[in-house]
Amino acid sequence: MTRLIVNSLKAQRGERILFQDLSFAVSAGQSLLIEGANGCGKTTLLRTIAGFARPDEGKIEIENNGDDAPLREQIHYVGHLDGAKGTMTVEENLAFWCRYLDGPDPGARPDPFGLETISDIPAHYLSAGQRRKLALTRLAAVSSTVWLLDEPSVSLDSAARKILSDLMRSHIANGGILLATSHADLGVKFSKCLRLGAEL
């Protein structure tokens, strides 16, 4: 069975320790909601698991039935920044990500948020909600074992939040692993909850 394992993790910023001796495991088909006040280390934790930040102590690994692909190749991370190139159209951004992540050709790519109607618009003209939909479409377009979602419903309207909830539930039901932070209800019944206690 696939498991994401975090063991004795520590993150420190300057003199402030955000978290330490943090250990947990999330298995295939499970989800973890990470809660806490602003500045307590939620984003740092997700970015550390994704490989964008180095832990001061501890280890992160994935057990995946003999699959020796690095953890970073088995992760979808959607953070506060939407990862869209402003001068490229919606379609060009999606095509780039599908090529980069070895995803499907355009004709076979899912379009859960209905971006086809704005496919020829450069990303810098998009609203905040449209940019968020563009970032989240990668979740459906390219399969990954672990989803790390940092406040994924920010800027989404109610219909898009429902679509996001359906995507997350489907990922879990199909044996995926989900870790998310959110101050709003994501419409998912999480298997576990982790509360980080530090506050800036």
Side-chain angles (χ1 to χ4, degrees):
M1 174 182 287
T2 302
R3 288 202 309 159
L4 175 69
I5 303 167
V6 172
N7 188 25
S8 299
L9 209 64
K10 176 183 177 181
Q12 186 168 346
R13 297 295 175 264
E15 297 299 314
R16 186 175 186 82
I17 297 174
L18 295 178
F19 49 79
Q20 62 183 345
D21 298 322
L22 181 62
S23 299
F24 60 85
V26 188
S27 300
Q30 291 187 332
S31 53
L32 174 68
L33 178 64
I34 303 166
E35 297 183 319
N38 293 339
C40 71
K42 301 186 299 295
T43 294
T44 297
L45 176 57
L46 289 187
R47 287 180 56 82
T48 301
I49 295 171
F52 297 128
R54 294 179 62 87
D56 292 281
E57 293 177 7
K59 186 176 181 181
I60 304 162
E61 58 186 342
I62 190 166
E63 294 178 352
N64 200 358
N65 295 332
D67 186 346
D68 59 358
L71 175 59
R72 65 181 177 275
E73 294 181 8
Q74 301 183 54
I75 283 178
H76 267 322
Y77 171 79
V78 178
H80 295 161
L81 301 178
D82 295 319
K85 181 75 171 177
T87 57
M88 293 167 57
T89 66
V90 168
E91 173 57 33
E92 288 168 341
N93 273 283
L94 289 174
F96 166 80
W97 279 109
C98 281
R99 287 194 304 270
Y100 182 72
L101 299 171
D102 197 25
D105 294 329
R109 188 175 61 227
D111 184 23
F113 295 101
L115 297 180
E116 183 179 2
T117 58
I118 58 170
S119 63
D120 60 344
I121 297 177
H124 63 247
Y125 288 120
L126 300 181
S127 68
Q130 289 171 325
R131 289 178 68 92
R132 177 57 36 152
K133 291 176 186 177
L134 176 56
L136 292 169
T137 294
R138 295 201 303 271
L139 301 175
V142 183
S143 177
S144 286
T145 303
V146 180
W147 287 8
L148 305 176
L149 309 182
D150 196 357
E151 298 287 350
S153 65
V154 168
S155 301
L156 294 180
D157 57 35
S158 59
R161 289 196 299 271
K162 172 64 166 58
I163 294 168
L164 172 62
S165 297
D166 290 343
L167 287 174
M168 291 188 291
R169 287 195 296 266
S170 177
H171 178 65
I172 297 164
N174 290 323
I177 294 172
L178 169 67
L179 281 71
T181 74
S182 182
H183 291 289
D185 183 5
L186 293 175
V188 173
K189 185 177 181 180
F190 284 85
S191 309
K192 305 178 180 184
C193 183
L194 170 67
R195 184 162 187 87
L196 298 180
E199 182 176 359
L200 291 177

